[in-house]
Amino acid sequence: MEECKTGTVVFIVNFSFHFVTWSKRSYLSRIYNAKLAAERLLKRCPNAMVLIRLANPRENTTPSQCVHSGDWILYDMNRMIRHVFGGIGVRFIDVWDMVLSHPDPNSVHMGSHVIDQQVQMMLNYICPELVEM
């Protein structure tokens, strides 16, 4: 296998909202395969960084949304992701509390203030030397 010759490689992935209707078995199969891919990347490019953005609570305006994408389902998906990817060197962008503590209503696509904070959190991982103390 050829070693990575480029500069810093950052790979960001999200396994959340579009997967809420999948069965648990299918979802776990998907994230286990993604874990294998992340391990191959990290072996080939040891300086690469894999970031996984976790789910956040969202609005549920209809009864069917409460069933297929309620907060417990999203929280459980986060738990599965942490379990599967834990210990291989990936970093998690956990925005659950950030979204809950913001005065805007919970949404799949939060407002720009929350998005800005999420980007800042991500950049803290990518270039920590630029973080102001």
Side-chain angles (χ1 to χ4, degrees), residues 8 10 12 49 51-53 91-95 98 114-132:
T8 302
V10 179
I12 305 167
M49 183 177 301
L51 300 172
I52 300 176
R53 193 229 186 248
R91 293 170 175 96
F92 302 103
I93 302 172
D94 189 351
V95 297
M98 183 187 300
V114 177
I115 299 300
D116 289 343
Q117 291 173 1
Q118 292 175 21
V119 169
Q120 290 297 320
M121 182 186 288
M122 178 188 66
L123 291 174
N124 287 338
Y125 284 119
I126 296 170
C127 43
E129 68 278 359
L130 298 178
V131 176
E132 294 181 21

Side-chain angles (χ1 to χ4, degrees), residues 4-63:
C4 184
K5 305 252 189 252
T6 63
T8 302
V9 174
V10 179
F11 187 73
I12 305 167
V13 66
N14 183 339
F15 300 106
S16 301
F17 298 106
H18 294 285
F19 299 102
V20 293
T21 58
W22 287 33
S23 70
K24 189 179 276 192
R25 181 182 203 142
S26 296
Y27 182 70
L28 283 169
S29 175
R30 170 62 60 119
I31 61 176
Y32 271 109
N33 283 322
K35 176 190 177 183
L36 294 173
E39 288 174 326
R40 286 192 308 270
L41 171 65
L42 293 171
K43 184 177 180 182
R44 193 170 63 242
C45 302
N47 294 330
M49 183 177 301
V50 177
L51 300 172
I52 300 176
R53 193 229 186 248
L54 299 174
N56 58 270
R58 60 164 288 178
E59 78 288 359
N60 289 301
T61 56
T62 67

Side-chain angles (χ1 to χ4, degrees), residues 75-95:
Y75 183 84
D76 197 35
M77 292 170 77
N78 286 351
R79 185 188 59 77
M80 288 184 271
I81 291 168
R82 284 184 180 278
H83 178 77
V84 169
F85 284 91
I88 68 165
V90 304
R91 293 170 175 96
F92 302 103
I93 302 172
D94 189 351
V95 297

